């Protein structure tokens, strides 16, 4: 059976607090909590300079620390570790560009935006759009729509609501 | 960037988040959250209709609370309302909530699906994308049912915007993975392949994931993708670093797409078309060449992206395994990485080389790096890298370097991390066996393993060395001598004692000529370890002693004395006592001829796959041990001329025995429950007419328990002494259970008592049980059966099971047994027939999240329809036909009768034959019942 490229992605702080979690495989809430707990512990116990990959259960974990935040992806055994590492980096770049030198607080206070950006970039555990410009364009368009929120309904929306 | 200060910036949310962050303790945080939840609940319940903004804000707060790890059981309806808002941000928050929080079973799915349907047909690309993201995020079967035919249309329609196509491709992929049966191939499939030619790189990037998945399932149908992928790859590889504009990543053109193209090609054999193949080889060469070029940037992102493509190309080269030139080049490239300063690259090079080692073209090239790899094993600071090095050593091992590699692995074992020791031990044992030129080296290696890492030497390993020694008579003398020497160490591992006991018991005679290892010296050496050993090892040693009596009649008196002493013949452990008694009797009654027949040397073991290899495979999954298997092909004939057996060494006594634990060595610590005692008329049976079986432990035995969830009658428990049968009947909230205790032996059970207790909550009247009959007779004659009746009344629903404790004396030993009685909540079901309409109406009524319990689990048994039906009927519910629109699914309905109330229950079981999985959903008017039933049932199928 074809497997997901990315099974899930977790962002957590050095204190082990989860800041963002995105699951691309169906798991119960309990399983998710257990996985997050185990994995956060495993990664926090590793020393800096260790390699960014580790085998964990039957998955491969790819992680990288950016300032106070750890970004971590679980991929399948067959998947390419280095390109996953760069998936993480591209996501960091997207956040950075959107928030302007992103920091942990931006993600805490605007968690919904972090999710929106991620959804534009990755969908169902696969890269949807790798161009930074295109992803940000989609998010900016949404922000524009937000500002026009009070504008009267367009004809298209009318149709959409019928 | 505008971002944070943007228009809507929900202030209330920001304030709430700061509040939470300012909480000094977990308690304070929970208090603050509960306050907020109460506030939101009252707002949602209030008379005043909330405006979209407030709704959005509150839904967002709920989401935040959920992501903090708290349970959220309301707000779903408000979130669904937001979906039909015409304000983008409200819709967006609604969708976010749904994709994070609504699991695939919610009744709300229908409402959500409606909203999605509207957005998909809105022709507004942003709305369409949101809807597609939601489907991809939730990916439930219900969504697949609703949209699996719609999305392919969107994907290939000429007027669909690029961004929508991208979302549609990955959305379809997700649905295909969840419910492949619902995504039907059709005219759209050929058009999907041509998306590989799309001008928009983003569309290609998204579509190729879908194409790869579809190709794996339907390789023939998608064959044309090979040439398209090759030409796309070739265009990317040969493009200048700026040609692809924003798809260039740190001077590397389209790294993600390149990797995915190379991955897609790994679904197929090398292209047959010469031109296509030529072009592909050219691409691969270019990628290898680029690795030698100076980097265009010092940034790690540049080298990572470049090397990601390189590693993927190497994977493809290994997959083809047909281009010796490319394989050797790949190996050289990886060789350079082995000494790279980046830990990540060293790790990946070791990993990738492991697969290269299994190719006959590159195996030799990989071997040239042995010193570097050994060095990595010794010096890498990261255990995961060392692990890779150990794997690679294992993979590159062959006859030429086996001694060196095994020696290095052994010395690594002395300091190896605990987490990997067991696997290392298995690997060393396999290599030692596989490449043994002389068996003395093999025996030395295994004994070293036991010395260095005795705790990690699993049974399979020491069984194996015994099998090999027994099957090879040229090594038996050496083995006896070596274990004898090893046992001289003042502290030696118990596994060493086991191997020593077994081998000296069989072959001690081969070294008995030397006065330094005369029979008595051997015996005293073994016996000096006896008192420090565990029961199974002592049992093994006792068997070695009786073998000694046969091998060396001069030791008979000494050994009989040992057997006769109280610590043996009256040992509190039944197994040891039995052996001591039997062996003592055997040695004094049986003639030398009989003794020699009974205690003859073990026959060779039958040929079988090494059980160690099987164990490693189980541990690492198939593939992990592919290398030695490949060696089999290459070095067939050089290998052991006898592939010897992998079974557990049986008892050294060549006799069947009346003892219930059929292996006298005590290798299996407990006889399988339910096994009937063998009483084939063999020698020993005649010598001893009765035998003391092992005492069953008093730990609660619930093996039988689960077998009775869907049935009422049968054997609950059986061991060598006792069989317990059950018959039970239930009506309304009352039940009656007959227990039958059968004495399977010919000897009386004395002081036979049974007690039924209700642990924990159960005791506080949740389930009242009264044992109505007078206490059972305290004496149960051999072969007799007695009966006991239990009356049960269900007062309210319960989750625990009552415990049955049985005590009796058998041959002086007190037997103590605890069993879970199979009284489960479903026994009080009354089946309810209903129509499809009624069923779904009730289903909807039971829509509070806590009323539902759901489990997705792997099938433990076959998925045969009739068996499933029988089980569901046995559950006590009515099995409803023609209710579920999907005929594969099962739905059931019933009412649980308790004294206080009736609990309506609906059940839906959805088998997925392809995945061998089930999804089980229960909805009951009482949440605890849903949970309990779900738990019980999930273990039935």
């Amino acid at each position: 059976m074809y497997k997901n490229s990315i099974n899930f992605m977790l962002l957590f702080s050095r204190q082990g607090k989860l800041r963002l979690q995105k699951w691309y495989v169906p798991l119960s809430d309990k399983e998710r909590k257990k996985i997050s707990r185990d994995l956060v512990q495993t990664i926090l116990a590793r020393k800096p300079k260790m390699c960014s990959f580790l085998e964990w259960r039957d998955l491969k974990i790819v992680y990288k620390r950016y300032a106070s935040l750890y970004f971590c992806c679980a991929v399948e055994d067959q998947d390419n570790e280095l390109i996953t590492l760069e998936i993480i980096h591209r996501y960091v770049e997207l956040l950075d560009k959107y928030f302007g030198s992103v920091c942990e607080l931006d993600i805490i206070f605007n968690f919904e935006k972090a999710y929106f950006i991620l959804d534009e970039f990755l969908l169902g555990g696969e890269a949807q759009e790798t161009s930074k410009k295109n992803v940000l364009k989609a998010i900016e368009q949404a922000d524009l729509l937000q500002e026009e929120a009070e504008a009267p309904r367009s004809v298209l929306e009318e149709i959409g609501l019928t | 960037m505008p971002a944070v200060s943007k228009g809507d910036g929900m202030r209330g949310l920001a304030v709430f988040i700061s509040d939470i962050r300012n909480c000094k303790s977990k308690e304070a945080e929970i208090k603050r959250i509960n306050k907020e939840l109460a506030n939101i609940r009252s707002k949602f319940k209030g008379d005043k209709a909330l405006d979209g903004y407030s709704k959005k804000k509150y839904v967002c707060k709920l989401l935040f609370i959920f992501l903090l790890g708290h349970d959220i059981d309301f707000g779903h309806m408000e979130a669904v309302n937001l979906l039909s808002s015409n304000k983008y941000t409200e819709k967006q928050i609604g969708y976010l909530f749904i994709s994070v929080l609504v699991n695939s079973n919610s009744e709300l799915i229908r409402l959500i699906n409606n909203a999605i349907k509207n957005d998909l047909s809105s022709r507004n690309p942003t709305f369409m994308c949101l809807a597609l993201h939601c489907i991809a995020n939730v990916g439930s079967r219900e969504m697949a049912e609703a949209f699996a035919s719609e999305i392919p249309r969107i994907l290939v329609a000429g007027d669909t915007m690029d961004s929508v196509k991208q979302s549609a491709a990955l959305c379809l992929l997700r649905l295909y993975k969840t419910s492949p049966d619902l995504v039907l191939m059709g005219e759209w499939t050929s058009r999907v392949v041509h998306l590989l030619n799309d001008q928009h790189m983003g569309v290609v990037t998204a579509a190729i994931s879908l194409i790869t998945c579809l190709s794996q399932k339907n390789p023939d149908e998608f064959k044309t993708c090979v040439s398209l992928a090759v030409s796309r790859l070739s265009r990317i590889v040969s493009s200048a670093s700026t040609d692809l504009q924003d798809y260039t990543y740190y001077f590397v053109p389209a790294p993600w797409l390149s990797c995915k193209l190379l991955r897609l090609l790994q679904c197929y054999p090398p292209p047959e078309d010469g031109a296509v193949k030529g072009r592909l080889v050219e691409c691969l060469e270019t990628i290898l060449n680029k690795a030698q070029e100076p980097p265009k940037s010092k940034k790690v992102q540049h080298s990572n992206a470049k090397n990601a493509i390189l590693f993927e190309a190497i994977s493809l080269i290994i997959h083809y395994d047909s281009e010796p030139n490319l394989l050797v080049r790949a190996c050289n490239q990886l060789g350079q990485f082995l000494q790279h300063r980046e830990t990540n690259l060293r790790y990946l090079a070791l990993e990738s080389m492991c697969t290269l080692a299994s190719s006959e073209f590159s195996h030799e090239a990989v071997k040239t790096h042995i010193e570097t790899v050994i060095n990595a094993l010794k010096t890498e600071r990261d255990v995961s890298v060392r692990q890779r090095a150990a794997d690679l050593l294992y993979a590159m091992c062959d006859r030429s370097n086996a001694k060196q590699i095994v020696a290095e692995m052994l010395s690594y074992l002395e300091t190896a991390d605990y987490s990997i020791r067991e696997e290392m031990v298995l690997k060393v044992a396999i290599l030692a066996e596989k490449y043994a030129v002389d068996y003395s080296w093999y025996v030395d290696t295994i004994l070293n393993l036991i010395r260095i890492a005795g705790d990690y030497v699993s049974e399979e390993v020491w069984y194996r060395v015994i099998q090999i020694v027994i099957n090879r008579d040229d090594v038996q003398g050496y083995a006896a001598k070596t274990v004898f020497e090893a046992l001289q160490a003042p502290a030696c591992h118990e596994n060493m004692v086991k191997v020593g006991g077994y081998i000296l018991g069989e072959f001690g005679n081969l070294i008995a000529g030397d006065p330094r290892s005369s029979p008595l010296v051997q015996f005293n050496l073994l016996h000096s370890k006896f008192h420090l050993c565990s029961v199974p090892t002592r049992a093994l040693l006792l068997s070695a002693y009786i073998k000694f009596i046969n091998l060396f009649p001069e030791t008979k008196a000494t050994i009989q004395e040992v057997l006769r002493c109280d610590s043996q013949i009256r040992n509190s452990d039944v197994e040891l006592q039995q052996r001591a008694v039997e062996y003592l009797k055997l040695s004094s009654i049986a003639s030398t001829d009989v003794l020699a027949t009974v205690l003859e040397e073990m026959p060779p073991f039958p040929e079988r796959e090494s059980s160690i290899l099987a164990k490693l495979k189980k541990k690492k999954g198939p593939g992990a041990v592919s290398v030695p298997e490949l060696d089999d092909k290459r070095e067939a004939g050089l290998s052991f001329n006898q592939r010897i057996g992998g079974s557990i060494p049986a008892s050294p006594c060549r006799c069947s025995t009346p003892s219930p634990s059929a292996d006298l060595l005590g290798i299996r610590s407990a006889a399988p429950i339910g096994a009937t005692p063998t009483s084939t008329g063999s020698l020993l049976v005649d010598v001893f007419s009765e035998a003391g079986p092992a005492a069953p432990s008093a730990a609660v035995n619930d093996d039988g328990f689960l077998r009775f969830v869907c049935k009422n009658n049968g054997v609950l428990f059986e061991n060598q002494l006792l069989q317990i049968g059950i018959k039970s009947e239930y009506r309304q909230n009352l039940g009656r259970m007959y227990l039958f205790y059968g004495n399977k032996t010919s000897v009386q059970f004395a002081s036979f008592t049974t007690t039924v207790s209700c642990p924990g909550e159960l005791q506080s009247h949740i389930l009242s049980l009264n044992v109505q009959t007078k206490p059972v007779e305290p004496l149960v004659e051999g072969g007799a059966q007695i009966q006991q009746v239990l009356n049960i009344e269900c007062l309210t629903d319960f989750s625990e099971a009552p415990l049955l404790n049985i005590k009796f004396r058998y041959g002086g030993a007190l037997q103590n047994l605890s069993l879970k009685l199979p009284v489960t909540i479903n026994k009080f079901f009354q089946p309810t027939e209903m129509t499809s309409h009624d069923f779904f109406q009730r289903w909807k009524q039971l829509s509070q999240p806590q009323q539902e319990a759901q489990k997705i689990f792997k099938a433990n048994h076959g998925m045969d329809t009739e068996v499933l039906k029988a089980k569901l009927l046995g559950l006590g519910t009515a099995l409803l036909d023609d209710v579920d629109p999907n005929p594969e699914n099962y739905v059931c309905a019933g009412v649980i009768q308790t004294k206080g109330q009736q609990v309506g229950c609906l059940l839906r079981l959805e088998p997925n034959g392809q995945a061998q999985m089930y999804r089980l959903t229960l909805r009951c008017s009482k949440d605890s019942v849903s949970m309990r039933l779900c738990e019980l049932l999930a273990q039935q199928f």
Side-chain angles (χ1 to χ4, degrees):
Chain A
M1 185 59 199
Y2 183 82
K3 304 256 185 74
N4 262 312
S5 162
I6 299 176
N7 280 237
F8 56 84
M9 188 180 205
L10 302 176
L11 267 65
F12 52 90
S13 68
R14 274 163 65 194
Q15 291 73 39
K17 288 225 184 244
L18 265 190
R19 295 304 183 201
L20 182 136
Q21 40 174 320
K22 185 80 185 178
W23 304 86
Y24 296 108
V25 285
L27 288 168
S28 72
D29 202 37
K30 208 172 134 197
E31 288 168 309
R32 291 178 179 186
K33 282 185 178 153
K34 180 166 185 351
I35 290 175
S36 319
R37 214 174 30 238
D38 288 2
L39 200 52
V40 167
Q41 267 178 6
T42 310
I43 292 177
L44 288 179
R46 288 173 62 84
K47 298 188 188 78
K49 298 269 174 191
M50 280 192 166
C51 93
S52 310
F53 320 124
L54 57 131
E55 285 185 337
W56 187 79
R57 305 196 183 167
D58 51 351
L59 296 173
K60 280 199 295 214
I61 303 298
V62 177
Y63 74 95
K64 186 160 177 175
R65 184 176 149 185
Y66 289 86
S68 61
L69 270 189
Y70 284 85
F71 288 67
C72 149
C73 283
V75 296
E76 291 292 333
D77 188 42
Q78 300 299 314
D79 277 310
N80 189 312
E81 291 97 336
L82 285 174
I83 208 73
T84 311
L85 204 52
E86 294 318 299
I87 288 256
I88 290 176
H89 187 74
R90 173 110 295 179
Y91 182 50
V92 173
E93 284 184 347
L94 287 166
L95 292 171
D96 195 60
K97 193 91 189 192
Y98 182 80
F99 288 109
S101 327
V102 67
C103 66
E104 192 182 339
L105 280 180
D106 290 322
I107 295 173
I108 296 174
F109 280 94
N110 302 279
F111 67 97
E112 78 285 7
K113 297 279 187 220
Y115 277 99
F116 298 148
I117 295 172
L118 188 58
D119 267 358
E120 291 294 336
F121 175 40
L122 301 176
L123 191 60
E126 303 279 348
Q128 172 175 222
E129 178 54 87
T130 58
S131 151
K132 196 155 65 176
K133 265 190 210 148
N134 289 351
V135 172
L136 290 171
K137 207 163 70 193
I139 296 287
E140 276 167 42
Q141 267 173 1
D143 281 340
L144 277 173
L145 281 177
Q146 179 173 297
E147 285 185 339
E148 296 158 1
E150 294 309 317
R153 295 175 178 192
S154 73
V155 180
L156 287 180
E157 283 167 12
E158 289 288 355
I159 297 168
L161 290 163
T162 49
Chain B
M1 272 285 135
V4 194
S5 56
K6 289 239 77 153
D8 73 323
M10 293 170 273
R11 231 185 84 77
L13 175 66
V15 170
F16 175 57
I17 296 176
S18 324
D19 280 2
I20 294 289
R21 287 177 52 75
N22 289 333
C23 286
K24 295 275 185 293
S25 66
K26 194 79 198 162
E27 291 70 34
E29 182 183 308
I30 290 172
K31 212 172 143 201
R32 179 67 186 87
I33 284 170
N34 285 337
K35 187 177 149 207
E36 193 63 36
L37 287 174
N39 172 43
I40 298 173
R41 216 180 292 246
S42 74
K43 293 279 194 235
F44 283 169
K45 280 198 180 139
D47 312 327
K48 233 173 51 193
L50 287 178
D51 60 10
Y53 170 79
S54 314
K55 226 182 265 178
K56 175 180 81 170
K57 184 177 70 185
Y58 293 131
V59 164
C60 214
K61 280 183 180 175
L62 287 178
L63 190 56
F64 180 78
I65 294 171
F66 176 78
L67 290 169
L68 277 180
H70 303 269
D71 291 333
I72 293 295
D73 54 8
F74 69 103
H76 301 74
M77 194 42 93
E78 285 73 14
V80 173
N81 285 341
L82 286 176
L83 297 184
S84 40
S85 164
N86 56 345
K87 288 183 189 156
Y88 181 76
T89 49
E90 290 170 15
K91 197 187 268 296
Q92 202 181 19
I93 295 287
Y95 273 127
L96 179 60
F97 185 93
I98 299 296
S99 52
V100 173
L101 248 151
V102 174
N103 41 23
S104 50
N105 59 55
S106 170
E107 172 51 26
L108 297 170
I109 285 276
R110 206 178 40 84
L111 291 173
I112 297 166
N113 281 358
N114 263 339
I116 291 176
K117 215 167 269 170
N118 286 335
D119 282 332
L120 285 183
S121 51
S122 71
R123 310 189 65 78
N124 173 337
T126 16
F127 285 9
M128 289 173 86
C129 282
L130 274 186
L132 290 167
H133 292 179
C134 178
I135 303 174
N137 281 326
V138 177
S140 66
R141 187 153 180 100
E142 288 86 348
M143 284 199 174
E145 278 161 6
F147 302 110
S149 54
E150 173 68 12
I151 294 168
R153 265 208 301 280
I154 297 177
L155 177 57
V156 298
D159 57 349
T160 303
M161 301 269 293
D162 289 330
S163 61
V164 178
K165 271 190 202 166
Q166 286 166 272
S167 299
L170 293 176
C171 183
L172 187 58
L173 171 59
R174 176 67 196 264
L175 294 186
Y176 185 72
K177 281 188 239 172
T178 344
S179 317
D181 54 317
L182 294 177
V183 179
L184 303 173
M185 300 296 124
E187 181 255 350
W188 60 274
T189 41
S190 60
R191 301 182 53 187
V192 163
V193 177
H194 283 276
L195 289 177
L196 286 175
N197 270 336
D198 203 284
Q199 286 187 328
H200 190 287
M201 296 282 274
V203 172
V204 191
T205 307
I208 193 168
S209 298
L210 174 66
I211 295 166
T212 307
C213 177
L214 294 170
S215 302
Q216 284 176 340
K217 274 295 181 67
N218 322 279
D220 287 338
E221 205 162 329
F222 287 85
K223 237 181 359 213
T224 47
C225 71
V226 173
S227 62
L228 291 175
V230 170
S231 64
R232 189 91 211 194
L233 180 68
S234 154
R235 269 180 284 157
I236 296 173
V237 169
S238 57
S239 65
S241 53
T242 50
D243 285 357
L244 302 174
Q245 293 157 2
D246 209 36
Y247 290 92
T248 298
Y249 180 83
Y250 292 86
F251 303 101
V252 181
W256 285 281
L257 182 53
S258 304
C259 285
K260 285 186 175 199
L261 285 163
L262 289 161
R263 170 55 56 86
L264 170 61
L265 291 169
Q266 289 170 57
C267 303
Y268 289 92
E272 283 158 19
D273 182 327
V276 176
K277 187 170 182 193
R279 208 162 168 200
L280 178 56
V281 169
E282 216 170 275
C283 284
L284 294 171
E285 277 169 345
T286 313
I287 293 171
L288 285 167
N289 291 341
K290 279 189 179 172
Q292 298 299 325
E293 288 171 10
K296 293 195 174 66
S297 155
K298 284 209 172 71
K299 289 257 167 65
V300 68
Q301 283 76 28
H302 170 71
S303 70
N304 279 351
K306 199 166 116 178
N307 291 327
I309 301 173
L310 177 63
F311 277 106
E312 205 59 65
I314 291 176
S315 293
L316 182 63
I317 292 169
I318 297 172
H319 168 75
Y320 286 162
D321 198 14
S322 59
E323 301 286 327
N325 175 35
L326 288 177
L327 280 162
V328 171
R329 280 194 67 186
C331 185
N332 294 339
Q333 182 59 53
L334 294 177
Q336 288 180 20
F337 285 155
L338 285 182
Q339 315 208 38
H340 203 280
R341 59 186 169 78
E342 279 270 332
T343 314
N344 286 347
L345 281 181
R346 294 197 302 275
Y347 175 96
L348 294 175
L350 289 166
E351 181 184 68
S352 193
M353 234 183 214
C354 240
T355 35
L356 266 184
S358 60
S359 162
E360 57 177 317
F361 300 113
S362 49
H363 183 83
E364 287 304 316
V366 170
K367 274 168 62 184
T368 59
H369 299 287
I370 185 167
E371 296 303 334
T372 318
V373 182
I374 287 173
N375 197 38
L377 187 66
K378 286 179 176 159
T379 59
E380 282 289 352
R381 280 188 298 177
D382 184 346
V383 53
S384 33
V385 185
R386 290 198 296 273
Q387 176 68 58
R388 289 285 82 80
D391 286 350
L392 178 53
L393 281 181
Y394 177 72
M396 66 163 68
C397 189
D398 62 20
R399 194 164 301 276
S400 72
N401 54 21
K403 280 203 171 162
Q404 185 188 8
I405 285 178
V406 166
E408 291 296 346
M409 286 173 104
L410 271 176
S411 76
Y412 175 58
L413 251 181
E414 305 211 33
T415 54
D417 314 74
Y418 295 111
S419 56
I420 62 171
R421 281 195 184 177
E422 190 183 350
E423 192 187 319
M424 290 288 292
V425 166
L426 289 176
K427 287 186 164 169
V428 170
I430 290 168
L431 293 178
E433 177 186 335
K434 183 151 195 50
Y435 299 114
V437 183
D438 58 280
Y439 295 100
S440 52
W441 175 72
Y442 169 75
V443 170
D444 286 343
T445 304
I446 301 297
L447 294 185
N448 267 329
L449 263 188
I450 296 176
R451 224 185 341 249
I452 294 168
D455 284 344
Y456 298 88
V457 172
S458 57
E459 289 181 337
E460 285 85 349
V461 173
W462 74 261
Y463 290 170
R464 191 71 180 152
V465 70
I466 286 173
Q467 286 163 15
I468 286 174
V469 169
I470 285 181
N471 286 23
R472 305 281 322 181
D473 46 19
D474 53 343
V475 76
Q476 288 160 357
Y478 182 80
K481 182 165 163 284
T482 324
V483 285
F484 178 78
E485 279 160 14
L487 286 173
Q488 307 280 347
C492 61
H493 196 273
E494 192 164 330
N495 280 334
M496 189 71 87
V497 180
K498 289 177 182 165
V499 175
Y502 203 116
I503 287 182
L504 292 182
E506 294 289 320
F507 309 114
N509 55 328
L510 300 178
I511 55 168
D514 186 329
R516 285 166 302 178
S517 54
S518 72
L520 265 177
V521 174
Q522 286 184 41
F523 170 74
N524 288 331
L525 180 61
L526 281 180
H527 199 54
S528 69
K529 314 284 179 192
F530 187 90
H531 302 279
L532 297 171
C533 290
S534 64
V535 168
T537 307
R538 288 193 203 185
L540 184 149
L541 286 178
L542 288 179
S543 297
Y545 297 169
I546 186 73
K547 289 233 153 187
F548 266 46
I549 292 185
N550 178 46
L551 289 180
F552 318 114
E554 68 265 38
T555 60
K556 182 168 166 179
T558 318
I559 290 174
Q560 279 183 334
E561 202 175 309
V562 167
L563 292 176
R564 201 176 290 126
C565 77
D566 276 359
S567 63
Q568 307 295 355
I569 210 159
R570 293 192 201 283
N571 195 296
S572 60
D573 184 274
V574 185
E575 181 66 34
L576 292 181
Q577 191 188 86
Q578 181 197 351
R579 287 188 191 214
V581 172
E582 286 181 6
Y583 292 159
L584 185 60
K585 268 260 156 93
L586 180 67
S587 65
S588 38
I589 292 176
S591 69
T592 13
D593 283 354
V594 171
L595 209 58
T597 319
V598 172
L599 300 170
E600 197 183 337
E601 191 179 301
M602 289 296 288
F605 288 88
E607 292 182 28
R608 229 174 289 159
E609 184 196 23
S610 161
S611 56
I612 311 179
L613 207 56
K615 171 148 182 171
L616 186 66
K617 274 182 190 158
K618 211 165 90 192
K619 222 174 144 55
K620 293 289 283 179
V625 284
S626 57
V627 181
E629 279 165 349
L630 177 121
D631 283 291
D632 271 347
K633 267 187 292 175
R634 199 165 52 228
E635 304 194 24
L638 289 175
S639 203
F640 277 9
N641 28 12
Q642 228 186 346
R643 303 287 303 158
I644 31 191
S647 66
I648 305 163
S651 142
C653 292
R654 299 184 66 187
C655 57
S656 68
T657 130
S659 159
S661 37
D663 48 345
L664 280 181
L665 267 181
I667 282 165
R668 291 206 186 99
S669 51
I673 288 169
T676 46
T678 50
S679 56
T680 41
S682 71
L683 210 73
L684 275 184
V685 182
D686 302 329
V687 179
F688 313 107
S689 56
E690 56 189 62
S697 76
V700 175
N701 179 317
D702 59 356
D703 291 358
F705 177 76
L706 284 170
R707 283 186 285 115
F708 282 82
V709 172
C710 294
K711 65 174 185 177
N712 288 334
N713 305 326
V715 175
L716 175 67
F717 173 83
E718 182 161 12
N719 67 6
Q720 287 72 39
L721 302 179
L722 179 68
Q723 186 193 55
I724 304 175
I726 281 192
K727 264 190 182 169
S728 46
E729 49 195 26
Y730 293 88
R731 180 169 300 165
Q732 304 287 346
N733 68 323
L734 300 176
R736 176 167 295 172
M737 181 180 275
Y738 298 88
L739 290 161
F740 301 91
Y741 305 96
N743 181 346
K744 289 170 57 177
T745 70
S746 53
V747 183
Q748 187 185 62
F749 292 167
S751 321
F752 192 89
T753 56
T754 64
T755 43
V756 174
S757 59
C758 298
E761 272 199 321
L762 207 51
Q763 200 155 24
S764 52
H765 312 300
I766 288 180
L767 177 77
S768 89
L769 279 166
N770 40 28
V771 182
Q772 208 187 31
T773 51
K774 58 183 176 193
V776 286
E777 286 294 326
L779 291 181
V780 185
E781 291 302 332
Q785 190 185 61
I786 57 163
Q787 184 184 332
Q788 185 176 27
V789 186
L790 237 77
N791 285 334
I792 302 158
E793 183 179 11
C794 177
L795 299 179
T796 171
D797 70 284
F798 60 97
S799 319
E800 292 289 345
L803 291 180
L804 171 67
N805 184 268
I806 301 155
K807 287 198 181 101
F808 60 93
R809 282 193 176 278
Y810 170 70
L814 183 67
Q815 307 288 326
N816 189 354
L817 186 69
S818 268
L819 298 168
K820 269 194 192 177
L821 276 180
V823 182
T824 46
I825 183 68
N826 64 293
K827 300 293 180 196
F828 304 95
F829 255 130
Q830 298 287 308
T832 318
E833 292 291 344
M834 54 177 84
T835 62
S836 174
H837 175 261
D838 287 345
F839 182 87
F840 282 108
Q841 194 166 15
R842 284 176 206 207
W843 186 263
K844 274 170 220 156
Q845 282 163 1
L846 299 171
S847 64
Q848 288 174 31
Q850 66 272 31
Q851 290 178 327
E852 178 178 272
Q854 188 175 60
K855 260 201 176 132
I856 297 174
F857 53 91
K858 264 227 144 354
N860 287 318
H861 308 282
M863 297 179 81
D864 182 72
T865 318
E866 290 313 310
V867 176
L868 282 178
K869 281 186 178 168
K871 280 192 180 164
L872 288 168
L873 284 172
L875 181 67
T877 50
L879 181 59
L880 306 176
D881 287 324
D882 304 316
V883 167
D884 199 292
N886 181 347
E888 305 279 330
N889 295 344
Y890 302 89
V891 292
C892 300
V895 175
I896 287 179
Q897 308 278 348
T898 72
K899 192 176 183 192
Q901 66 178 139
Q902 301 192 332
V903 184
C905 305
L906 301 177
L907 175 155
R908 191 176 190 205
L909 180 71
E910 298 161 83
N912 179 344
Q914 199 151 17
Q916 291 286 303
M917 302 277 287
Y918 289 105
R919 179 164 68 193
L920 171 70
T921 314
L922 276 142
R923 288 192 177 184
C924 305
S925 54
K926 197 163 180 191
D927 3 343
S928 49
V929 175
S930 305
M931 276 181 41
R932 179 58 182 160
L933 284 175
C934 192
E935 253 168 51
L936 283 172
L937 282 173
Q939 304 176 61
Q940 295 299 316
F941 299 105

